[in-house]
Amino acid sequence: MAVIGIIAEYNPFHLGHAYQLAQARRILGADSPVVAVMSGNFVQRGEAALLHKHARAEVAVRCGADLVLELPTAWAAATAEVFARGGVSLLAATGVVTHLCFGSECGELSQLEHLADCLDGQSYQAELRRFLGAGMTFAAARQAAARELSGAAADGLSQPNNNLAVEYLRAIRALGADLMPVTVRRVGAPHDSDETEGFASASAIRRRVLTGAPWEHLVPAESAAVLRREMDAGHAPVSQAACERMILSRLRAMGEEDFYAYDGGNEGLYHRFYEAVRRSSTLEELLDRAKTKRYPRARLRRMALAAWLGLEKPEETPPCLRVLAANGRGCCLLKEMKQRALLPVLTKPGYVRALGEAVEQSLAAESRCTDQYTLAWPVPGPPGWEYTSGPVILP
């Protein structure tokens, strides 16, 4: 029997995700279990998640997943390449997942594999350096280099889900992961669009929740119920605005050399970022001052987030399989994983010391991030939440 793996932010869980799960089961079997690797309390766009990770994991299970594992913040709030490698490594390490299912705009696995071949080819790095040297952003230089080597097919890299899909394929190869890739054509509104016809984007739903516009009709009923429950408890929604003063306070206390660790390309961006911090009163103003043709806002948001949270450069793979939620079938998978998994399985925070120093340090790092996150709740929460919140287990 196929066991389907999914990698997602679920921020929030919307009808498009439900469609992807349904299509995956249509392809691989209606009874196929689904294991989801999900971002924690901070996501790949460089912002806090609208809803905390345990609630989002619960929604994922209520809407079709059987087991939800956490992708730690250092991988979740990183580049597409790091995000993909972290997610793929966790699914492969379960020892039970057989297929990786992901959405793409093109919906054609052969096209995505061709692009992955191009980016892994010997000539690609030289072409990439040439275009980066011309002052292009990494994304633009990447696409231009691919176009030099593969022609018009490289245009697919301009679409975010295609781009991430290619990184999943590259990660499977680089890690030697025993996962069969399956892609589902993405339908509905474009990524980050305000359109609400069909399947609205997660960004559109997030904006509606934060502004008080009607949103419940855009998500599954299970998702709406959990989000409403957490809103009533004062745990949601979390916005960038709620984090802004905490971020600026931390950044203003840093010296110029402190930003060097977050300049991923060692290109001198940390100089520019530091100067922007010293001249800005809001986060948007900071991003506007630091932004150039070469340094897009997404990269700068992730840099600000990493500096605020003190994120260290992640290792190739996370150190453990952290369980956030499961149902009965997911618990059966967990029993199997305890025999076959390639990494320790962390089911409850209280068990962390028994799993070794690396796992203990990872949870401590995640706890520092979560302590900042709970301060951004509408009703701020106390520290230590990471160590008192076990997985959500549903029938």
Side-chain angles (χ1 to χ4, degrees):
M1 178 177 64
V3 178
I4 303 166
I6 301 283
I7 304 171
E9 291 184 341
Y10 292 130
N11 186 34
F13 192 103
H14 57 86
L15 294 170
H17 283 132
Y19 172 81
Q20 182 181 342
L21 288 181
Q23 289 298 105
R25 285 190 165 121
R26 182 187 65 79
I27 296 167
L28 297 172
D31 294 329
S32 299
V34 171
V35 178
V37 169
M38 188 193 77
S39 301
N41 289 323
F42 297 92
V43 297
Q44 210 254 332
R45 62 184 288 118
E47 295 182 355
L50 184 79
L51 182 63
H52 68 80
K53 60 189 177 186
H54 284 89
R56 288 175 15 250
E58 177 187 345
V59 168
V61 172
R62 291 189 181 279
C63 292
D66 296 298
L67 175 64
V68 182
L69 307 173
E70 180 180 8
L71 181 63
T73 299
W75 288 265
T79 63
E81 183 177 358
V82 174
F83 178 91
R85 182 166 292 216
V88 168
S89 69
L90 289 179
L91 289 176
T94 64
V96 299
V97 174
T98 60
H99 292 71
L100 170 59
C101 183
F102 46 84
S104 63
E105 286 87 358
C106 70
E108 295 289 339
L109 191 60
S110 59
Q111 181 178 337
L112 299 170
E113 288 177 332
H114 173 70
L115 289 170
D117 289 339
C118 174
L119 299 186
D120 285 333
Q122 294 182 350
S123 302
Y124 167 70
Q125 289 297 331
E127 291 294 327
L128 177 66
R129 287 192 294 271
R130 180 163 69 90
F131 287 108
L132 285 173
M136 288 186 175
T137 66
F138 178 81
R142 182 172 181 265
Q143 186 173 344
R147 189 179 295 111
E148 287 289 309
L149 300 171
S150 63
D155 292 343
L157 291 174
S158 65
Q159 297 172 300
N161 292 96
N162 283 347
N163 185 51
L164 193 53
V166 169
E167 292 303 335
Y168 290 146
L169 295 175
R170 297 181 72 201
I172 288 174
R173 296 175 183 180
L175 296 169
D178 189 16
L179 298 172
M180 183 70 68
V182 176
T183 191
V184 173
R185 186 185 298 276
R186 190 182 189 279
V187 297
H191 178 78
D192 218 18
S193 165
D194 282 323
E195 296 176 22
T196 56
E197 293 298 322
F199 298 152
S201 72
S203 297
I205 298 169
R206 179 187 177 91
R207 282 190 283 269
R208 281 175 165 259
V209 172
L210 292 174
T211 59
W215 57 269
E216 290 173 308
H217 63 292
L218 301 176
V219 301
E222 298 86 348
S223 182
V226 172
L227 180 50
R228 277 293 177 197
R229 182 194 73 200
E230 295 301 315
M231 291 170 74
D232 291 343
H235 296 166
V238 173
S239 68
Q240 188 76 343
C243 302
E244 182 173 61
R245 289 194 178 184
M246 289 188 286
I247 296 173
L248 291 174
S249 175
R250 167 62 182 155
L251 299 186
R252 287 185 179 187
M254 295 173 64
E256 183 175 6
E257 67 283 355
D258 296 328
F259 288 101
Y260 181 77
Y262 308 106
D263 184 353
N266 299 324
E267 302 163 334
L269 172 58
Y270 74 99
H271 294 296
R272 185 178 183 87
F273 199 87
Y274 172 76
E275 290 300 324
V277 168
R278 306 315 302 169
R279 298 170 59 199
S280 302
S281 301
T282 68
L283 191 56
E284 286 303 307
E285 185 180 355
L286 188 162
L287 297 176
D288 284 339
R289 289 184 185 280
K291 182 181 181 295
T292 67
K293 184 177 180 181
R294 181 161 186 174
Y295 305 132
R297 292 178 76 86
R299 177 176 176 181
L300 296 170
R301 278 198 305 267
R302 287 195 294 268
M303 186 172 178
L305 181 72
W308 170 40
L309 298 176
L311 298 179
E312 296 182 359
K313 184 178 180 180
E315 301 292 335
E316 187 170 85
T317 62
C320 73
L321 297 158
R322 170 86 183 278
V323 179
L324 293 179
N327 58 17
R329 186 158 60 172
C331 289
C332 291
L333 286 174
L334 276 175
K335 291 179 182 178
E336 190 175 350
M337 283 167 54
K338 288 180 179 179
Q339 303 298 322
R340 302 175 59 179
L342 304 178
L343 290 172
V345 179
L346 178 60
T347 53
K348 294 183 179 180
Y351 300 161
V352 66
R353 289 188 177 179
L355 300 182
E357 184 180 356
V359 179
E360 194 170 0
Q361 290 178 350
S362 176
L363 186 61
E366 205 61 39
S367 180
R368 290 191 291 272
C369 296
T370 298
D371 284 348
Q372 297 299 308
Y373 181 83
T374 57
L375 281 174
W377 282 351
V379 179
W385 187 72
E386 192 73 51
Y387 288 97
T388 59
S389 300
V392 179
I393 305 298
L394 300 175

